[in-house]
Amino acid sequence: MSLRDVLRIPSSELTDESVYRDRRRLLAALAAVPGLGLAACSDAAPPPPPSTVTITPEQARAGFRTSEELTRYEDVTTYNNFYEFGTGKSDPSRAGRTLRLQPWSVAVGGQCAKPGVMSLDDLLKGATPEERIYRLRCVEGWSMVIPWRGVPLANVLRRFEPNSKAKYVAFTTLEDHKQMPGQGYGALDWPYREGLRIDEAMHPLAFLVTGLYGKPLPQQNGAPLRLVVPWKYGFKGIKSIVAITFVETMPFTSWNDAQPQEYGFFSNVNPSVDHPRWSQKTERRIAGTQSKLFAERIPTRMFNGYADQVAGLYTGMNLRKWF
Ligand SMILES: Nc1nc2c(c(=O)[nH]1)N[C@H]1C(S)=C(S)[C@@H](COP(=O)(O)O)O[C@H]1N2
Ligand SMILES: [Mo]
């Protein structure tokens, strides 16, 4: 039973801003009703991942690059979503300069044997940088092809020796209202947070990014450290990370918290599950010299074209329910 069913209000009304503002109070009130525990709602824990997911190194490598036309550097770095610097696409490239990149430290903790707070250099030491050319599909319906530089997330996470209670990994962006003026506005519950199931985090395609086009990552793209999960909508790729936490239960994620009917925890790219307010069947591909607003629309592919690599993570899962 979904929250909407419980409340018997049409989804059209649930998209109203004021309803979202009242959402926390609503949930608290519902939790207090005897016999109506939140486990009855769609917030209940999803099924655990299938236990035997294996892909061959060749399969994995096939996902590391694509021969599709690249998005130009100037477009990758001037058409951004980074609400900490404003909600307009060109805001982050102008306002992002106020973000100080040094010193930068990352706290890794939670369900693991070797937690710690360390500099970015220490976090990444021992991991060899690689280039990955990935498609990036924003939930808004546009996409890019970007040559990232970074390290596989799994290589970094393993060093902290997550234990058997580490079922999910939570990520947190810096919160500093001086450096990130957009945090003065209540667009999201700051700091921006994201999360992955542990098997998703350990997948060879999940990538911690420190650069693009062979250059250091610019602020607007999430410097000095951001996540890229190419088979999921772009908002899962949290920017300017300051904390990585191994947790036992599904973590808080910002867009899911803001609009749960519109943004699920998993948010795998899926052309057959529409956003409540628009279709996800096609995307505006921003590549080469195509105009950003009138770029050609191309079909969106299941898991953003990475089904060979990642479909096994979701065997037996209802991807409409766990969107
Ligand atoms: N902290 C933070 N991370 C974020 C966002 C944001 O607003 N804040 N926007 C997300 C969205 S919606 C997308 S599509 C990608 C965009 O990444 P890009 O600007 O490097 O293309 O970043 C994601 N990561
Ligand atoms: Mo996005």
Side-chain angles (χ1 to χ4, degrees), residues 82-86 173-174 179-183 190-192 239:
F82 200 169
Y83 277 26
E84 286 85 338
F85 297 105
T173 294
L174 177 71
Q179 294 187 63
M180 296 179 146
Q183 290 176 336
W190 310 110
Y192 195 101
K239 295 176 169 181

Side-chain angles (χ1 to χ4, degrees), residues 219-257:
Q219 276 98 332
Q220 59 267 34
N221 294 94
L225 183 74
R226 63 90 59 87
L227 180 68
V228 170
V229 194
W231 70 96
K232 292 179 180 284
Y233 290 117
F235 67 84
K236 299 294 290 183
I238 181 172
K239 295 176 169 181
S240 305
I241 296 168
V242 294
I244 302 177
T245 317
F246 297 101
V247 294
E248 201 169 357
T249 55
M250 188 181 275
F252 176 103
T253 57
S254 294
W255 280 105
N256 177 248
D257 170 73

Side-chain angles (χ1 to χ4, degrees), residues 163-177:
N163 64 38
S164 63
K165 287 186 178 160
K167 305 265 194 265
Y168 295 87
V169 188
F171 301 85
T172 310
T173 294
L174 177 71
E175 181 171 18
D176 181 330
H177 294 218

Side-chain angles (χ1 to χ4, degrees), residues 20-42:
Y20 288 112
R21 242 176 275 127
D22 284 336
R23 206 171 63 83
R24 270 186 207 79
R25 253 193 306 155
L26 214 65
L27 285 170
L30 280 171
V33 177
L36 189 64
L38 284 181
C41 301
S42 59

